[in-house]
Amino acid sequence: MPLRFADPASPALPLHLLEAEALPRFLGQLPPAQAAWLKATGFEAGLGDLRLLPDAAGGIAAAVAGLGTARARARQRFGIARAFAALPGGTWAPTGPLSAALADEVALAWLLSGYRFDRYRPGRPPTDPVQLIAPAGVDAARHLAMAKGEALTRDLINTPAQDMGPAELEAALRSLAQDFGAQARAITGADLLAQNFPMIHAVGRASPRAPRLLELRWGKAGPRLTLVGKGVCFDTGGLNIKTTTGMALMKKDMGGAATVLGLARMIMALDLPMQLRVLIPAVENMIDGNALKPKDILTSRKGLTVEVNDTDAEGRLVLADALALACEEESDLLISMATLTGAARIAVGPDLAPYYTDDAALAAALETGAAQGFDPVWRMPFHDAYESVIEPGIADLDNSPGFGFAGSITAALFLRRFVDDRRYLHFDIYGHTPADAPARPKGGVGQGARAVLNALPQMLDL
Ligand code: BES
Ligand code: ZN
Ligand code: ZN
């Protein structure tokens, strides 16, 4: 399935999309033989179920796909994608009636299931050429922008660290900037020290692949949005080395960077009237003779000192310097996205993106955007009572409090110390689909980008 919609003028067979409750009426309108066929094959319009309807000559007259009940759709986002995968080759024209929300889900399900990661399986034959015309009433350009942004995110995460180090992440940001006429720059290696990014340098210096701070700027006028993404291209844990299972997925530790780049791509492709700035600390957290050690005390860009009680809590260190830089300039909204803690996974699992903000209006806008974008998020608290937990006594801050509880919250509180009084949203994402799911193959996945995109008009007064 290609990541696009077919030309609406192309000859196509009807694909009837049916909610379970609409089935009796639909059967009543069908020629009796076709209705009998659907009944005989046990079709109940269950979510993702597909049947082909024969014509008099034994050819295919149409297809019928079940949208199930609202409850079934809530249990399985994009469940209709299972029906798309079962369609025979050809061009299909979806017919309703569909609510606007359902049409959006169908459109997204189609485009997001067009994603393939074939970089390491060259020469594989393309799958059956199934094509779909966009459902009536959907904003096809908007959905395409969302799907292409998401595909970029998935590609970046899925690429193994061997081919996605700090330099390659920089190349990806530069190529994105070039595609949309944005400005790009990078501060690399020893220049990080000269230009006062001590914590990005400290985390990245044990890798032969130089650490760097990446920046992209786009847009001439309008409200200012700054996105900061964790770009740890591989996280061994450093000297506090991870276990085999803990390290297994750590090529995805640049998932925050991949997600902000995907979101940036959506914003630029839609030419939204705003000014965008993307900051990515890109490092590998490796082990060498010059590696950061437990109990080292770093002085951050902001001037706050940090006792390193675990070299595996590196994300908050590199993000802190990037957030400090972000706050040296005005913005109307600052967002950080990071695969920051295992604790976030334990709290909400891989399907939900936990986020933090002190601004109830931002949270409300985001919840609406999440529902519109089929991109579930869950608000977590910046709980002030845990502030003392991240204060080690010997320095201003502790990157790994021995508290033993609320690991995602204490990491978020740590980041907030580097943000001044401005509108701030932080996402602690997972960036990975653990098993094939509709429109989301096992592997890298963006979280929160569509929720933010849909909320931007409200959040930024666009
Ligand atoms: N990259 C990890 C967090 C992570 C682990 C995200 C697994 C998603 C899945 C991060 O750098 C880390 O190791 N965090 C530690 C922090 C702790 C040492 C305070 C964690 O969560 O265990
Ligand atoms: Zn780590
Ligand atoms: Zn990490």
Side-chain angles (χ1 to χ4, degrees):
M1 290 183 284
L3 202 161
R4 62 181 138 82
F5 290 115
D7 179 344
S10 41
L13 288 171
L15 169 63
H16 301 290
L17 297 169
L18 272 191
E19 289 185 71
E21 62 188 32
L23 182 61
R25 238 187 102 227
F26 178 78
L27 289 177
Q29 292 164 351
L30 274 188
Q34 290 188 341
W37 166 256
L38 286 181
K39 280 187 199 153
T41 60
F43 182 72
E44 289 175 348
L47 179 59
D49 290 347
L50 184 82
R51 295 291 186 276
L52 299 175
L53 295 178
D55 64 17
I60 300 173
V64 191
L67 289 166
T69 58
R71 183 97 202 106
R73 291 191 298 275
R75 288 178 57 136
Q76 191 172 51
R77 275 188 288 152
F78 305 131
I80 188 64
R82 212 162 51 80
F84 297 149
L87 280 173
T91 302
W92 298 90
T95 69
L98 298 177
S99 66
L102 252 178
D104 282 345
E105 185 173 5
V106 166
L108 267 177
W110 168 258
L111 293 174
L112 294 178
S113 24
Y115 175 78
R116 292 283 174 281
F117 186 65
D118 282 340
R119 177 164 170 179
Y120 300 92
R121 294 192 293 181
R124 280 176 39 104
T127 46
D128 245 5
V130 183
Q131 308 239 31
L132 189 81
I133 293 171
V138 307
D139 183 343
R142 185 173 177 82
H143 285 90
L144 268 172
M146 289 193 277
K148 287 184 177 170
E150 169 65 15
L152 171 63
T153 299
R154 291 181 185 180
D155 278 348
L156 294 173
I157 297 175
N158 285 332
T159 304
Q162 136 212 19
D163 291 326
M164 189 49 63
E168 289 85 359
L169 195 52
E170 176 181 343
L173 176 137
R174 286 190 187 278
S175 130
L176 180 67
Q178 186 153 41
D179 289 349
F180 292 95
Q183 307 295 313
R185 75 168 174 137
I187 302 168
T188 305
D191 286 352
L192 287 168
L193 285 179
Q195 295 186 44
N196 194 25
F197 296 96
M199 298 209 294
I200 299 176
H201 185 270
V203 170
R205 72 187 178 213
S207 170
R209 305 160 96 187
R212 54 203 80 200
L213 175 71
L214 312 177
E215 178 172 18
L216 176 149
R217 284 179 189 271
W218 175 88
K220 297 262 170 316
R224 284 153 304 187
L225 170 65
T226 300
L227 304 176
V228 178
K230 173 177 172 181
V232 176
C233 294
F234 196 79
D235 184 8
T236 64
L239 289 173
N240 294 115
I241 191 168
K242 287 181 182 289
T243 60
T244 299
T245 44
M247 207 186 297
L249 285 174
M250 285 300 118
K251 71 169 183 181
K252 77 172 174 70
D253 211 19
M254 31 59 74
T259 303
V260 299
L261 288 175
L263 173 56
R265 198 193 185 288
M266 297 174 199
I267 289 169
M268 296 190 292
L270 292 169
D271 207 9
L272 297 186
M274 53 186 284
Q275 302 177 71
L276 174 66
R277 184 184 193 196
V278 178
L279 295 171
I280 294 174
V283 302
E284 272 195 316
N285 188 20
M286 301 298 281
I287 296 172
D288 195 8
N290 66 346
L292 187 63
K293 298 178 188 71
K295 297 289 177 195
D296 279 354
I297 295 179
L298 303 173
T299 300
S300 67
R301 178 177 186 84
K302 191 171 176 177
L304 292 170
T305 56
V306 180
E307 184 181 29
V308 177
N309 275 302
D310 196 320
T311 61
D312 196 12
E314 83 298 338
R316 66 198 76 184
L317 301 177
V318 299
L319 287 167
D321 277 354
L323 287 168
L325 175 69
C327 291
E328 289 163 22
E329 190 175 293
E330 298 279 294
S331 63
D332 298 291
L333 177 60
L334 172 62
I335 302 179
S336 54
M337 291 185 157
T339 50
L340 200 60
T341 69
R345 252 54 294 135
I346 292 166
V348 299
D351 196 55
L352 270 174
Y355 72 94
Y356 295 81
T357 182
D358 285 318
D359 186 322
L362 277 185
L366 192 71
E367 304 281 335
T368 308
Q372 284 171 356
F374 301 90
D375 187 11
V377 301
W378 196 262
R379 189 175 179 187
M380 302 273 284
F382 275 126
H383 190 54
D384 295 308
Y386 296 152
E387 286 281 9
S388 62
V389 165
I390 60 172
E391 293 165 352
I394 190 173
D396 294 322
L397 291 169
D398 181 341
N399 82 326
S400 178
F403 184 46
F405 304 107
S408 177
I409 297 177
T410 52
L413 288 172
F414 184 99
L415 294 184
R416 192 177 67 169
R417 294 287 186 109
F418 295 86
V419 176
D420 55 11
D421 187 21
R422 65 177 68 203
R423 298 167 83 213
Y424 177 48
L425 261 179
H426 160 63
F427 287 86
D428 191 342
I429 63 173
Y430 191 54
H432 179 78
T433 304
D436 281 342
R440 283 155 297 152
K442 179 179 173 178
V445 72
Q447 290 187 287
R450 290 192 303 278
V452 169
L453 185 81
N454 287 317
L456 283 180
Q458 246 181 300
M459 295 194 300
L460 290 178
D461 250 332
L462 287 186

